[in-house]
Amino acid sequence: ASPGPKWFQIYLPSDQGQAKEMLQRAKAAGYLAIVLTIDTIVGSNRETNRRNHFSSPLPDGNFPRRTSGYQRSPANRNLGWDDVAFIQQVTGLPVLIKGVMSPELAVMAVEHGCAGIQVSNHGGRNLDGVPATFTVLPRIAEAVAGRIVIVLDGGVRRGQDVFKALALGANAVAIGRPILYGLALGGWMGVQGVLEHLKEELEMTMRLAGAKSVSEISKRFLNV
């Protein structure tokens, strides 16, 4: 529905035919990049979800049952760099990988022609004890050395968090739960309110820190 630029995040199906169909539909719908999720190829032990009897209310909108025999393919559990090349070949679009938590993997992404990486621990839901994305970001940014785009997600709740991420080497942040909270409480106006609040807090933080523009934000503003 949004007229703005969009990226398509995919949990790659094991059925290459279904994967190709989804990717081609995304490109035809005007998506400008593909984000391949690499850190959720199997389910994790989400005890809170089980205690709360949680089940997703979202439909499988990307998997329409066009015929009675159509079944959704399970996620590819053996992802490799060939899959990145497959997406690049099918779409011709920039490909980012989501779930990068080490400098070594970030460097490999550069070497395999990825347009960017998303530093993400999947909201901390997949593995207990996994480090925060803010913790691993500085070493990843140092290893990447500006060669590709770095997006960070996980724990971004305030404009100050956006400022810190940019100062530590991210080019952008991705926001999940605050957007869902705004959507649940106020629909599209709730989402707009969350984004406006984050923008105002970021501007406030920049003014208090003395950064005149986003491009000026750097590690020198942090006590690290």
Side-chain angles (χ1 to χ4, degrees):
S2 166
K6 290 176 281 290
W7 295 358
F8 186 75
Q9 181 186 348
I10 187 171
Y11 295 76
L12 198 67
S14 58
D15 185 310
Q16 201 168 65
Q18 285 191 24
K20 184 175 182 179
E21 180 187 7
M22 287 181 65
L23 292 165
Q24 290 174 335
R25 286 169 54 208
K27 182 176 182 179
Y31 285 79
L32 302 178
I34 305 298
V35 182
L36 173 61
T37 305
I38 64 172
D39 63 352
T40 311
I41 57 174
V42 295
S44 57
N45 186 23
R46 301 182 183 181
E47 295 170 336
T48 301
N49 284 359
R50 291 204 301 272
R51 283 195 298 267
N52 292 333
H53 304 289
F54 172 81
S55 62
S56 174
L58 300 176
D60 285 342
N62 287 320
F63 299 91
R65 292 183 176 274
R66 296 181 178 176
T67 67
S68 59
Y70 189 95
Q71 291 185 345
R72 175 175 176 171
S73 171
N76 185 339
R77 295 191 175 190
N78 191 30
L79 290 175
W81 296 111
D82 288 346
D83 296 299
V84 172
F86 167 74
I87 296 172
Q88 291 168 331
Q89 181 180 11
V90 168
T91 65
L93 296 174
V95 177
L96 298 86
I97 56 172
K98 178 181 184 293
V100 175
M101 290 290 288
S102 72
E104 293 79 11
L105 184 56
V107 170
M108 292 177 71
V110 175
E111 294 172 347
H112 284 84
C114 292
I117 59 173
Q118 190 154 332
V119 179
S120 173
N121 60 17
H122 216 83
R125 294 177 295 154
N126 282 349
L127 286 175
D128 292 337
V130 68
T133 52
F134 280 88
T135 301
V136 300
L137 175 60
R139 291 182 58 220
I140 291 175
E142 182 180 0
V144 167
R147 290 176 288 176
I148 56 176
V149 169
I150 299 176
V151 181
L152 175 133
D153 73 61
V156 178
R157 300 291 183 269
R158 292 187 173 275
Q160 293 95 312
D161 299 326
V162 179
F163 186 95
K164 292 174 187 176
L166 297 176
L168 291 172
N171 299 103
V173 301
I175 303 162
R177 291 179 209 183
I179 297 298
L180 295 177
Y181 297 155
L183 182 65
L185 291 170
W188 70 265
M189 290 184 290
V191 173
Q192 179 175 297
V194 168
L195 293 173
E196 289 177 349
H197 185 72
L198 285 167
K199 181 174 181 289
E200 291 169 1
E201 284 193 335
L202 175 59
E203 291 180 352
M204 174 200 72
T205 306
M206 291 172 62
R207 290 180 183 275
L208 292 174
K212 296 180 181 180
S213 65
V214 169
S215 62
E216 282 192 9
I217 300 174
S218 69
K219 194 181 293 186
R220 67 187 179 90
F221 291 104
L222 302 181
N223 184 22
V224 294

